[in-house]
Amino acid sequence: MSALRLLSSAARRAPSTLAQQRRGYAEVADKISLSLVLPHQAIFTSTDVVQVNLAAATGDMGILANHVPSIEALRPGMIEVIESGNASKKWFASGGFATVHPGNKLTINVVEAAPLESFSSEAVRANLQEALKVTAGNGSEEDKMEARIEADVYEALQHALGSK
């Protein structure tokens, strides 16, 4: 028996309960339970929120209730938490991981995060320029690589401050 016929035969014999498990759109009233933690602090602990927007390594993404389970590496960028009544809170995170669990649970583990409003655009701009000078300078390769990482973080922070 060919593999295709074997597969289709098995699919016809599968219980009908499997066919009823379909992914649909999130209901308006659905919430996702968010835990946003740093090594030294928990910002959210199993708090019901409407949506979370984050800077994943694969691109920006928004997470609503009933999101498909996944694990995403986070790049330096903004984490926006939208609570009931469209109240929004924003943090800048240096990087980490987000895990979407079955049952509307989201866990975000980051190394460092701070409220977006605690940053000064002028200070970020000045620090970015300083980091770019080091990358273009005559320093060691190690100094240049560290400055490049620093510049990448400041560029992400400058972008996040621009979208406040």
Side-chain angles (χ1 to χ4, degrees):
M1 180 185 296
S2 76
L4 181 58
R5 283 192 299 195
L6 179 63
L7 185 62
S8 63
S9 172
R12 282 193 298 267
R13 286 188 228 138
S16 62
T17 56
L18 291 177
Q20 294 174 0
Q21 296 176 353
R22 291 190 182 169
R23 173 131 168 81
Y25 292 104
E27 298 291 323
V28 176
D30 282 353
K31 303 266 195 266
I32 189 162
S33 177
L34 171 66
S35 294
L36 173 59
V37 295
L38 288 68
H40 59 277
Q41 175 188 12
I43 298 173
F44 286 99
T45 306
S46 299
T47 306
D48 286 342
V49 299
V50 175
Q51 180 175 348
V52 179
N53 300 320
L54 46 85
T58 57
D60 293 344
M61 63 187 297
I63 299 172
L64 297 165
N66 299 320
H67 194 282
V68 65
S70 63
I71 299 174
E72 295 290 335
L74 302 178
R75 68 180 194 280
M78 184 172 56
I79 297 175
E80 179 182 22
V81 177
I82 301 172
E83 298 176 301
S84 297
N86 287 331
S88 174
K89 294 180 181 175
K90 298 178 182 180
W91 286 269
F92 185 81
S94 62
F97 287 91
T99 306
V100 181
H101 305 275
N104 293 329
K105 293 180 183 172
L106 171 63
T107 304
I108 302 174
N109 299 304
V110 296
V111 178
E112 286 294 330
L116 199 56
E117 64 268 5
S118 67
F119 294 97
S120 160
S121 295
E122 295 78 29
V124 170
R125 196 172 309 117
N127 290 338
L128 174 59
Q129 292 307 315
E130 184 63 32
L132 291 173
K133 282 182 196 174
V134 173
T135 61
N138 295 327
S140 70
E141 284 301 312
E142 183 180 348
D143 290 342
K144 287 182 180 182
M145 291 301 289
E146 286 178 7
R148 182 68 254 165
I149 293 168
E150 190 176 333
D152 288 346
V153 172
Y154 281 123
E155 287 171 349
L157 183 53
Q158 191 173 44
H159 176 71
L161 288 170
S163 65
K164 253 201 287 199

